[in-house]
Amino acid sequence: MNDTGRYLDRMRSTAPLIHNITNYVAMNIMANVLLAAGAAPAMVHAREEVGDFAALSQALTVNIGTLDPAWAEAMATAAQVMQQAGRPWVLDPVGVGATRFRQDVCAQLLALRPSVIRGNASEVLALAGLSAGGRGPETTDTVDAAEAAAADLAQRMGGVVAVSGPVDYITDGKTAYRVANGHPMMTRVTALGCSLNGVIGAFAVGQPVLEATVAALAYYGLAGEQAAATAIGPGAFGAAFLDRLYAITPEDLTAGAMVTPA
Amino acid sequence: MNDTGRYLDRMRSTAPLIHNITNYVAMNIMANVLLAAGAAPAMVHAREEVGDFAALSQALTVNIGTLDPAWAEAMATAAQVMQQAGRPWVLDPVGVGATRFRQDVCAQLLALRPSVIRGNASEVLALAGLSAGGRGPETTDTVDAAEAAAADLAQRMGGVVAVSGPVDYITDGKTAYRVANGHPMMTRVTALGCSLNGVIGAFAVGQPVLEATVAALAYYGLAGEQAAATAIGPGAFGAAFLDRLYAITPEDLTAGAMVTPA
Amino acid sequence: MNDTGRYLDRMRSTAPLIHNITNYVAMNIMANVLLAAGAAPAMVHAREEVGDFAALSQALTVNIGTLDPAWAEAMATAAQVMQQAGRPWVLDPVGVGATRFRQDVCAQLLALRPSVIRGNASEVLALAGLSAGGRGPETTDTVDAAEAAAADLAQRMGGVVAVSGPVDYITDGKTAYRVANGHPMMTRVTALGCSLNGVIGAFAVGQPVLEATVAALAYYGLAGEQAAATAIGPGAFGAAFLDRLYAITPEDLTAGAMVTPA
């Protein structure tokens, strides 16, 4: 992958409408991340309209952070609309290993074949049935340990699996990449992982899903690196991160992306 | 309207309690906007208490952003309390054109005669029955195109309609104003429109609703202009915007307001 | 209490997982406060998993801000798990005096013996049955006026009661402390009180609850003082506050804590 920046350029040129069914912690920052990046976010979840709204949207993201049964039903309804329309949808299985409830909901969502699954190593291992995984939203496993599980999951699902960590691993089960962009301060601001799902969804609109996901992760990590260069703590970092998402050009991304074949 | 600043001064002198039933994306920033401006926010929605709490509040705001049926019922209950008490309440019909569900809920809320409706051009057109309107929370129509619909809606409802845009249009169906304050960066931070409803509600407590709404929009737009003068991106802008809401004095507002009769 | 900083040091050394059932306004900032301080936050509320998740957590916080019956049930379920496991849980009775619904829910939660109750003076008075209390989340009473009620409540409950205000008052019904750290700007950013509950919960893991609560309040107030020294308004303050929570060392806390016996 050479010209990483063109994926950002194309995303911004269409400013896609991204429908997000996410957790209460993430909603505000996720919307701000998408606006800063150049996409158009919307959050809609009621049974009465979630399918109608999905049909208007160019991509969907689903995050099980503050789950309950009504929201799980909305997720499945919207995901089904996207699957049938052949439009991308992204699943973030937050804390899937923590409770039986999360495992059951994720099993239902996997059957709707997400275009991209993004999680930390513990979540990907738990989703692949290989680990009890993590404590809540945190990982207790390394990215390396989740590579085989990610490839297996991608093949079974016919989609892309992205394992977030110090160096991300992204695979469609055949081809794989590593993205070394990012900064530890990103783990000190809540819901930055959740918000990344929206950026992945936006990049995946009308672009090859594997490469779009890689480019989204490089863009996001690059913004984190640049923000951390000036921020003295997580408060300043949170604001600077949005400023960098807004300011990074396609040329900046092509120059700064640290993508290698895996 | 000359002395715009006095509306801000009177609002701050009473620090009114504003009851907000709004979307999950907006709740935090809306509370921060109200605190920075000098009002007292509260968010309450349960059927078991929403009417009791409305009865304690000086104004109510309703925003249908992340709607579901239980919340729609709470909105109607609280709005009815305000209508019967003769206290102001503000309706923000976010994305009303996007789904049938939103249209039905808005029809019920319109029957409770909001004191102020604030939306973008597409939302006001959709509410007036003249357009399918927007894609989610975004507008695809111009403010000019919504002026006649706004006046018609204001007359039918016996209230004020404010159309947000590069230049806002505010009318009670007889008198109309334009407010030219504001900055495009305000559209790159989520829920600033939603949060404005709270400021309108606070200004409308004990003051003439049309002029109070105009003054609130001028104040809000002025804070946006001032924040944009120093901010390099939406992250810095979000913080600076709260700082300006906090710092602007009544004299600043009178001097900086760009209000003209329409 | 001399070595206040060691409570911070011990908290950071274990980075405890804190389960929070809180209001929609607070969720994002509360998670960021806990991450900045050095703990691990999680927000989980569904009946289907709230007990399972509480069992994985080292402390629980409950805040009745945007209450409804399903959430009240989740609070009771999780609190019961913590009570039976002998792990700390913190109750924040936001606006308990405002409605009958809040009073009923708090009565049920009090029966589950919170380790710490933290509220403003009006809330503590209302909880002790001595006042109709406050208007929503605001206080209309002074900390002094709530001291006897706090001591009474602490004795009845067998826990700690912390009354937040310009000078905080913390008691277990026998011993009492005052904490003079803090800054008025903290009342201009929403949900900082709510977020403090998480810090109290984190400090209380494996440490004596009364002293841990005192140390948490001193740490929080010190961060507020330091942030206010540079911030020109509530927007800058919000970011600086997180930066200070992140930067304050145990030595800084021991040096800056203003704790006195009451």
Side-chain angles (χ1 to χ4, degrees):
Chain A
M1 262 187 78
N2 294 316
D3 193 6
T4 313
R6 72 179 166 174
Y7 294 90
L8 174 60
D9 193 38
R10 288 183 190 163
M11 185 279 285
R12 283 192 179 143
S13 70
T14 61
L17 177 61
I18 311 301
H19 179 180
N20 307 291
I21 309 179
T22 189
N23 64 77
Y24 300 121
V25 182
M27 285 202 193
N28 183 275
I29 180 66
M30 186 177 193
N32 277 329
V33 158
L34 280 164
L35 288 170
M43 276 65 178
V44 171
H45 68 283
R47 180 191 310 188
E48 287 74 8
E49 64 174 358
V50 71
D52 293 351
F53 199 85
L56 300 174
S57 305
Q58 281 140 296
L60 168 74
T61 77
V62 166
N63 171 300
I64 65 166
T66 52
L67 194 62
D68 76 22
W71 285 69
E73 186 188 328
M75 291 168 185
T77 301
Q80 196 160 21
V81 169
M82 301 316 268
Q83 187 199 14
Q84 289 174 357
R87 271 175 268 155
W89 78 277
V90 181
L91 172 64
D92 183 346
V94 181
V96 59
T99 67
R100 165 63 58 182
F101 178 51
R102 277 162 201 265
Q103 291 159 33
D104 292 346
V105 169
C106 282
Q108 291 168 2
L109 292 170
L110 279 183
L112 296 168
R113 297 182 166 272
S115 317
V116 183
I117 294 172
R118 192 207 63 79
N120 63 39
S122 292
E123 290 159 353
V124 169
L125 284 165
L127 210 58
L130 299 175
S131 160
R135 44 166 211 175
E138 287 187 282
T139 192
T140 52
D141 298 284
T142 64
V143 173
D144 282 0
E147 289 189 8
D152 175 60
L153 197 55
Q155 279 167 359
R156 278 193 279 150
M157 190 179 69
V160 168
V161 176
V163 188
S164 287
V167 176
D168 308 316
Y169 179 81
I170 306 100
T171 181
D172 65 359
K174 286 168 288 188
T175 308
Y177 294 95
R178 291 187 219 283
V179 175
N181 297 98
H183 191 277
M185 188 60 86
M186 299 175 82
T187 65
R188 288 290 190 131
V189 178
T190 197
L192 289 197
C194 312
S195 301
L196 169 55
N197 305 327
V199 178
I200 294 172
F203 273 61
V205 172
Q207 306 202 77
V209 175
L210 177 64
E211 287 75 18
T213 302
V214 169
L217 267 63
Y219 166 62
Y220 210 69
L222 182 61
E225 292 165 23
Q226 293 185 352
T230 60
I232 61 165
F237 179 84
F241 181 66
L242 293 173
D243 289 342
R244 299 318 308 165
L245 288 175
Y246 179 74
I248 288 174
T249 63
E251 293 71 31
D252 295 336
L253 177 52
T254 296
M258 293 191 282
V259 176
T260 50
Chain B
M1 265 188 73
N2 294 317
D3 194 5
T4 312
R6 73 179 164 174
Y7 294 90
L8 174 61
D9 193 38
R10 287 183 191 163
M11 185 279 286
R12 283 189 179 146
S13 71
T14 61
L17 177 62
I18 311 301
H19 178 182
N20 307 290
I21 308 179
T22 190
N23 64 76
Y24 300 120
V25 182
M27 284 201 194
N28 183 276
I29 181 65
M30 185 177 195
N32 276 330
V33 158
L34 281 164
L35 288 171
M43 277 66 178
V44 171
H45 68 283
R47 180 191 310 189
E48 288 74 8
E49 65 173 357
V50 72
D52 292 350
F53 198 85
L56 300 174
S57 305
Q58 282 139 297
L60 169 74
T61 77
V62 166
N63 172 300
I64 64 166
T66 52
L67 195 60
D68 77 22
W71 285 69
E73 186 189 328
M75 292 169 185
T77 301
Q80 196 160 20
V81 169
M82 301 317 267
Q83 186 199 15
Q84 289 174 355
R87 270 175 267 154
W89 78 277
V90 181
L91 172 63
D92 182 346
V94 181
V96 59
T99 67
R100 165 64 57 183
F101 178 51
R102 277 162 202 264
Q103 291 159 33
D104 292 347
V105 169
C106 282
Q108 292 168 0
L109 292 170
L110 279 183
L112 296 168
R113 298 181 164 273
S115 317
V116 183
I117 292 172
R118 193 207 61 81
N120 63 39
S122 292
E123 289 159 353
V124 169
L125 284 164
L127 210 57
L130 298 176
S131 160
R135 45 167 210 173
E138 287 186 282
T139 192
T140 51
D141 298 284
T142 66
V143 173
D144 282 359
E147 289 190 9
D152 175 60
L153 196 55
Q155 279 167 0
R156 278 193 279 150
M157 189 179 69
V160 168
V161 176
V163 189
S164 287
V167 176
D168 307 317
Y169 178 81
I170 305 99
T171 181
D172 65 359
K174 287 170 288 188
T175 307
Y177 294 95
R178 291 187 220 282
V179 176
N181 296 100
H183 191 277
M185 188 62 85
M186 298 175 84
T187 64
R188 288 290 189 130
V189 178
T190 197
L192 288 198
C194 312
S195 302
L196 169 55
N197 305 326
V199 178
I200 294 171
F203 273 60
V205 172
Q207 307 203 76
V209 175
L210 177 63
E211 287 74 19
T213 302
V214 169
L217 267 63
Y219 165 62
Y220 211 69
L222 182 61
E225 292 165 25
Q226 292 185 353
T230 59
I232 59 165
F237 179 85
F241 181 66
L242 292 173
D243 289 342
R244 300 317 308 166
L245 288 175
Y246 179 74
I248 288 173
T249 64
E251 294 71 31
D252 295 336
L253 177 52
T254 296
M258 293 192 281
V259 177
T260 49
Chain C
M1 264 187 76
N2 294 317
D3 193 7
T4 311
R6 73 179 164 176
Y7 294 91
L8 174 61
D9 193 38
R10 287 183 191 163
M11 185 279 286
R12 283 189 178 145
S13 70
T14 61
L17 177 62
I18 311 301
H19 179 182
N20 307 291
I21 309 179
T22 189
N23 65 75
Y24 301 121
V25 181
M27 285 200 194
N28 183 276
I29 180 65
M30 185 176 194
N32 276 329
V33 159
L34 280 164
L35 288 171
M43 277 67 177
V44 171
H45 68 283
R47 180 192 310 188
E48 287 74 7
E49 64 174 357
V50 71
D52 293 351
F53 199 83
L56 300 174
S57 305
Q58 281 139 297
L60 168 74
T61 78
V62 166
N63 172 300
I64 64 165
T66 52
L67 194 61
D68 77 22
W71 284 69
E73 184 187 329
M75 291 168 186
T77 301
Q80 196 159 22
V81 169
M82 301 316 268
Q83 187 199 15
Q84 289 174 357
R87 271 175 266 154
W89 78 276
V90 181
L91 172 63
D92 183 346
V94 181
V96 60
T99 67
R100 165 63 57 183
F101 178 50
R102 276 160 203 265
Q103 290 159 34
D104 291 347
V105 169
C106 281
Q108 292 168 1
L109 292 170
L110 279 183
L112 296 168
R113 299 182 163 271
S115 317
V116 183
I117 293 172
R118 193 207 61 81
N120 63 39
S122 292
E123 289 159 353
V124 169
L125 284 165
L127 210 57
L130 299 175
S131 161
R135 45 167 211 174
E138 287 187 283
T139 191
T140 52
D141 298 284
T142 64
V143 172
D144 282 0
E147 289 191 8
D152 176 60
L153 196 56
Q155 279 167 1
R156 278 193 280 149
M157 190 180 69
V160 168
V161 176
V163 188
S164 287
V167 176
D168 307 316
Y169 179 81
I170 305 99
T171 181
D172 66 358
K174 287 169 288 187
T175 308
Y177 294 95
R178 291 187 219 283
V179 175
N181 296 99
H183 191 277
M185 188 60 86
M186 299 175 83
T187 64
R188 288 289 189 131
V189 178
T190 197
L192 289 198
C194 311
S195 301
L196 169 54
N197 305 327
V199 178
I200 294 172
F203 273 61
V205 173
Q207 306 202 75
V209 175
L210 177 64
E211 288 73 21
T213 302
V214 169
L217 268 64
Y219 165 61
Y220 211 68
L222 182 61
E225 291 166 24
Q226 293 185 353
T230 60
I232 60 165
F237 178 85
F241 181 65
L242 292 174
D243 289 342
R244 299 318 307 166
L245 289 175
Y246 180 74
I248 288 174
T249 63
E251 294 70 32
D252 296 335
L253 177 52
T254 296
M258 292 191 281
V259 177
T260 50

